[in-house]
Amino acid sequence: MTRVRFLSVTRSRGRHLPSPSMSKTTLLTLGALVLAAVLAVGREGSVRMGIIGGALFGAGLGLLAYLWLRHAVQHRPERAMRANLEGFLILMGGLMLAFLSLFAIPMAGETLELKAFVLTYVAVAFIPLVLGTVECAQSLKSPALRGGTTS
C-alpha cells in the first residue's frame, strides 16, 4: 500500500524519501542545465551544441542513475552500494558510447565540439551522482528506515 503526499512519498515499510520530482538533487541538476544553457548562448555553433548536448545527456543519465539508487534504497537497502556502482557504470558507459559515436559518425563529430561535450557531461552528471548518493545515505541513517522509532 502506497500513500502519496505532495512533497514526499511514504511506503508501507516505513521508508521515507523526498519525492524525486522535488528533491534537492533534481532541482540542482535542473539548475545546472539552466547554467549550461546560459553559458552556451555566447558560443559558436559546434561549441554551443557540445555544451547543450553534454549537459542534456549528462543530466539524463545522471538522474537515471539517481533514480536507480533511490529505487534500491526504498525496496532493497542492502543493495544500495551495488546500485550506486551500477549508476556510476551507467555514466561511464554513456560517456564512452558518446565518445565513440562522435568519432564513428562524421556528422556528429562536426556538429558537436568534443571538449565542450565531455566537460559539460562530466560536470552535470557529477551532480546527481554525488548529491543523490548523499541524499540516499542520509535516508538510510534515519531510524524509521531501520525499523526504530523517530521519537
Side-chain angles (χ1 to χ4, degrees):
M1 181 170 145
T2 303
R3 293 183 315 180
V4 178
R5 295 183 186 172
F6 178 66
L7 290 178
S8 64
V9 177
T10 304
R11 302 237 178 239
S12 60
R13 292 183 183 177
R15 294 180 179 92
H16 182 73
L17 285 170
S19 170
S21 61
M22 297 300 290
S23 71
K24 293 176 190 174
T25 303
T26 305
L27 294 175
L28 285 172
T29 304
L30 291 175
L33 282 174
V34 169
L35 180 63
V38 168
L39 290 175
V41 168
R43 306 293 189 259
E44 68 175 57
S46 64
V47 175
R48 179 184 313 136
M49 292 303 292
I51 291 172
I52 296 296
L56 287 173
F57 194 55
L61 285 183
L63 289 173
L64 176 71
Y66 165 62
L67 289 175
W68 181 248
L69 177 61
R70 282 179 54 91
H71 174 76
V73 166
Q74 287 179 340
H75 297 287
R76 292 187 173 192
E78 66 276 2
R79 297 183 123 201
M81 186 65 175
R82 178 180 173 173
N84 198 10
L85 179 63
E86 289 169 349
F88 179 74
L89 292 175
I90 287 171
L91 293 175
M92 291 299 107
L95 181 61
M96 291 305 298
L97 179 68
F99 190 74
L100 293 174
S101 297
L102 289 176
F103 281 115
I105 304 170
M107 184 181 240
E110 295 169 5
T111 307
L112 299 174
E113 173 70 30
L114 179 66
K115 291 178 189 174
F117 180 88
V118 170
L119 238 123
T120 54
Y121 174 86
V122 169
V124 174
F126 182 75
I127 294 170
L129 179 68
V130 172
L131 292 180
T133 302
V134 169
E135 190 174 294
C136 289
Q138 288 173 349
S139 72
L140 282 172
K141 286 182 183 179
S142 71
L145 184 60
R146 292 190 310 261
T149 60
T150 57
S151 54

